[in-house]
Amino acid sequence: MSVLDKLKVIDGGERQRGYDPVRVRRRKLAEGLADQLKLLEAQADGGTYQKVSVRRQRDLESDELRTTEDRRAVSPWWWVNDEGLVHFALRYGSARLKVKGGQDTLVLSTLGDLRQLLPPLRQEVLAGSLDAALAEAASGLQARFTPRKGAKS
């Protein structure tokens, strides 16, 4: 029996090329949800979570490439109110996403429920069910920026 007999094989079609803002928004939100899940797990273990980005920099004196790690704190997208309910707001940049019926905050009973919600919610984002809310948030964020003087429009 061949290894290929055990795998599912499909006609892949053409590879998607170029910049697609919808895919970029989906990936950015999915990455944010993954960071929230890691933050929740770290807090449950009594630790902290910092996002690590690895980049390569050239040393100007020796002209060598060095790998550096930048650590950045991740802010929680949830808070617990006085009654003990967990409020969770999906964020795209600094904007809250209007999830359902113009509302932007999910209410859950415990942090454990939030931990269970994040993986399927991430899959929903990657499937494209929040594309309209992402587009609205992106256009709202873009409207806040002012063009530079002398910039071509």
Side-chain angles (χ1 to χ4, degrees):
M1 178 176 263
S2 167
V3 173
L4 293 176
D5 293 336
K6 298 177 185 176
L7 299 174
K8 179 181 177 183
V9 181
I10 62 169
D11 181 26
E14 295 224 10
R15 182 177 174 188
Q16 294 178 347
R17 296 173 192 245
Y19 176 76
D20 183 10
V22 174
R23 281 189 300 162
V24 171
R25 288 183 203 125
R26 286 180 192 169
R27 286 185 186 153
K28 182 178 177 183
L29 182 57
E31 184 179 323
L33 288 171
D35 286 340
Q36 292 302 306
L37 183 60
K38 290 175 186 173
L39 181 62
L40 262 172
E41 291 170 353
Q43 285 185 353
D45 294 339
T48 59
Y49 171 71
Q50 291 183 335
K51 188 173 183 174
V52 177
S53 62
V54 179
R55 57 187 178 130
R56 296 179 64 169
Q57 289 182 321
R58 185 170 300 279
D59 186 12
L60 296 177
E61 294 176 6
S62 64
D63 201 36
E64 292 181 14
L65 283 176
R66 286 190 288 164
T67 304
T68 61
E69 288 185 352
D70 292 333
R71 297 185 176 272
R72 187 171 55 94
V74 175
S75 299
W77 293 355
W78 72 88
W79 65 95
V80 180
N81 69 1
D82 293 338
E83 290 88 34
L85 296 175
V86 177
H87 293 251
F88 181 75
L90 286 165
R91 304 185 75 80
Y92 182 76
S94 62
R96 289 184 180 182
L97 294 183
K98 305 286 185 200
V99 181
K100 187 176 177 184
Q103 303 297 317
D104 62 0
T105 304
L106 305 172
V107 179
L108 303 152
S109 57
T110 65
L111 286 174
D113 292 343
L114 180 59
R115 191 176 303 124
Q116 296 296 321
L117 172 72
L118 289 178
L121 187 59
R122 184 174 181 274
Q123 292 301 318
E124 287 283 323
V125 167
L126 290 172
S129 58
L130 292 177
D131 285 349
L134 280 169
E136 180 183 339
S139 65
L141 287 172
Q142 193 174 26
R144 293 184 200 169
F145 289 97
T146 57
R148 288 187 240 160
K149 284 187 175 181
K152 295 178 183 176
S153 42

